[in-house]
Amino acid sequence: MKRIAVVVGMAFGAVGCAPTVHETMTVSCSDYIGRPISEHIAAFGPPQAVYRINPTELGYVFETKDTTFVGGETYYTVNYMIGADRHRAPIYPVTRKCRGFVVRAPSSATPVSQRIIVDVL
């Protein structure tokens, strides 16, 4: 019986060390800088428009929008009469819009996989 109690106690101790918050990773518009435009085209489809900004740069217009929910973190307050109280931060939606990207393309013959994103519109 003591062995079972020890095993259960160790299991509960290990559960206390496990993280309880599971967050999904979101990619903001600026996280695409330095990557090829072909990754974004593969994820979101073809652009709505492509235009030449100057002889070495192209502009890709996508108009993508994503909404994520942030918040819900646990925080504690201490009341010396009662003890510690556990609270959760409010959860609210955050919407990000990516209008497009500026891509370095020295010539029109440069393959899409070699066109690197240098800025966000």
Side-chain angles (χ1 to χ4, degrees):
M1 191 65 163
K2 287 183 181 181
R3 259 188 238 171
I4 294 174
V6 170
V7 170
V8 169
M10 289 176 61
F12 281 127
V15 169
C17 296
T20 58
V21 177
H22 300 286
E23 297 181 9
T24 58
M25 292 295 294
T26 58
V27 178
S28 68
C29 301
S30 61
D31 289 343
Y32 283 105
I33 294 176
R35 294 181 175 175
I37 192 68
S38 60
E39 289 181 12
H40 197 274
I41 291 172
F44 294 104
Q48 294 175 348
V50 178
Y51 59 93
R52 184 151 299 272
I53 297 171
N54 60 35
T56 61
E57 293 180 341
L58 290 172
Y60 284 79
V61 178
F62 280 97
E63 291 291 336
T64 58
K65 182 169 102 172
D66 65 336
T67 302
T68 57
F69 292 95
V70 296
E73 296 88 13
T74 303
Y75 67 94
Y76 297 91
T77 58
V78 177
N79 182 342
Y80 292 105
M81 300 290 282
I82 300 170
D85 294 326
R86 182 176 163 183
H87 304 283
R88 290 217 179 251
I91 297 173
Y92 56 93
V94 173
T95 303
R96 291 188 181 112
K97 269 185 158 177
C98 292
R99 282 201 70 232
F101 300 98
V102 177
V103 175
R104 186 168 312 277
S107 71
S108 298
T110 306
V112 177
S113 61
Q114 293 179 0
R115 295 180 182 184
I116 305 299
I117 297 173
V118 293
D119 200 5
V120 178
L121 294 176

